[in-house]
Amino acid sequence: MSKFLINRIKDKAFQVWGLIATLIGIVLLAVFIGDIFMDGIQRLDLDFLRSLPSRFPEESGIKVAMMGSVWIMGLTALISFPLGVAAGIYLEEYAKKNKFSSFLEMNISNLAGVPSIIYGLLGIMIFVRTLGFGNSLLSGAMTLSLLILPIIIVATREAIKAVPDSIRQGSYGMGASKWQTIWYQVLPASFGGILTGVILALSRAVGEAAPLIAVGALAYVPFAPASPMDEFTVLPIQIFNWTSRPQHGFIINAAAAILVLLAITLLMNGMAVLLRYRWQKKLTG
């Protein structure tokens, strides 16, 4: 048998194995989501969305956890967006290409893969104890900002890289400075890609529970937070709390809350895909 034929057989075998692996993943995911949907849809109604926590499963809702998630996402976006975009612009447009900048780039890329609980331990040391913010929304938002900053920085750099160099040269040719070129030409052209990265990073943060548990988010909070210094809970922690209860009614509640969390995540990812599509279409003309 010739070497060419052997390589063709290996290529075909790998293609079949990849297809089988993909189907296994899709089927398992469909089974899990289907089971959650069958349990949760019977509990999902307006009363469930606007009810406070209760020790009775049929009276318990996700209003407090939803408000906590909204607060956390808003504060995290306010903190991480300007920092991540500014760092990405500096590294891509201003930083000199030397060993130090290579060291920074390598560490930022590696930070994106660090387990989230490590950020939680960092958050409890810096924000909760050293800065004295306590078990507040602000501590949680700052911890999640650390978690998603590397993702936003990398997305910003990639979006800026994708801007055609002819746009910069045209701006310089009209007498614009470097900052004017970045502010009026590069950032508008790359904003769709940057926003896509930010939304994807926030969609990861909305499902995180481990770092928030580490900084002291509570499993039971009787009232919705009203300021950044209030104690809080979020949807993933509420789900974790309900799944640990012995009553079957709380398992149904957890399935309904998972459906709400899935809907939020799919909505955010859908927005990111739409923005990326429009941005790429604009760049390619």
Side-chain angles (χ1 to χ4, degrees):
M1 188 179 292
S2 67
K3 191 174 180 181
F4 175 75
L5 188 57
I6 293 173
N7 287 335
R8 290 291 299 271
I9 293 173
K10 287 181 178 177
D11 184 56
K12 193 69 179 176
F14 182 78
Q15 185 180 351
V16 171
W17 169 243
L19 179 62
I20 293 172
T22 304
L23 288 175
I24 290 173
I26 292 174
V27 169
L28 286 176
L29 185 62
V31 169
F32 286 139
I33 292 179
D35 185 57
I36 291 169
F37 182 82
M38 295 297 290
D39 284 341
I41 194 65
Q42 55 187 302
R43 183 71 180 89
L44 201 55
D45 54 24
L46 280 178
D47 284 339
F48 180 71
L49 298 177
R50 60 191 182 193
S51 296
L52 296 172
S54 169
R55 58 194 177 94
F56 302 107
E58 61 276 7
E59 297 177 5
S60 190
I62 59 170
K63 179 181 177 181
V64 174
M66 279 283 290
M67 291 300 296
S69 291
V70 170
W71 267 99
I72 279 285
M73 285 301 98
L75 290 173
T76 302
L78 284 175
I79 296 168
S80 61
F81 181 76
L83 289 177
V85 173
I89 293 172
Y90 171 77
L91 289 172
E92 192 57 38
E93 297 286 344
Y94 289 98
K96 294 179 180 177
K97 303 301 178 188
N98 52 28
K99 290 183 179 178
F100 180 69
S101 62
S102 300
F103 177 76
L104 279 179
E105 291 171 10
M106 181 182 67
N107 279 280
I108 289 171
S109 300
N110 289 333
L111 282 174
V114 171
S116 57
I117 187 63
I118 304 298
Y119 288 98
L121 298 175
L122 188 65
I124 195 171
M125 285 300 299
I126 297 177
F127 307 124
V128 177
R129 295 177 181 170
T130 305
L131 297 181
F133 294 150
N135 306 329
S136 64
L137 280 163
L138 190 58
S139 295
M142 286 188 165
T143 303
L144 288 182
S145 297
L146 287 180
L147 175 69
I148 65 173
L149 261 179
I151 303 173
I152 296 176
I153 293 172
V154 171
T156 301
R157 296 190 62 193
E158 293 302 319
I160 291 175
K161 277 182 188 174
V163 176
D165 201 45
S166 58
I167 293 179
R168 295 180 178 83
Q169 298 305 324
S171 179
Y172 292 141
M174 295 293 289
S177 64
K178 189 177 183 66
W179 168 245
Q180 287 173 325
T181 300
I182 292 171
W183 185 255
Y184 292 108
Q185 303 298 331
V186 176
L187 274 181
S190 60
F191 190 69
I194 294 171
L195 203 56
T196 299
V198 172
I199 293 173
L200 289 176
L202 288 173
S203 72
R204 178 191 173 183
V206 78
E208 287 288 347
L212 297 180
I213 291 174
V215 299
L218 303 176
Y220 178 79
V221 178
F223 301 106
S227 77
M229 300 310 294
D230 286 349
E231 294 180 334
F232 70 102
T233 188
V234 290
L235 276 173
I237 295 177
Q238 183 72 77
I239 293 167
F240 173 74
N241 179 37
W242 277 339
T243 53
S244 63
R245 301 284 189 89
Q247 298 97 322
H248 183 68
F250 282 117
I251 302 298
I252 303 296
N253 285 358
I258 289 172
L259 290 180
V260 174
L261 189 57
L262 276 176
I264 293 172
T265 307
L266 287 176
L267 180 65
M268 295 178 74
N269 281 278
M271 288 171 56
V273 170
L274 181 64
L275 285 171
R276 177 174 287 276
Y277 171 75
R278 289 187 173 179
W279 175 60
Q280 286 178 338
K281 194 175 177 181
K282 184 179 176 182
L283 276 184
T284 55

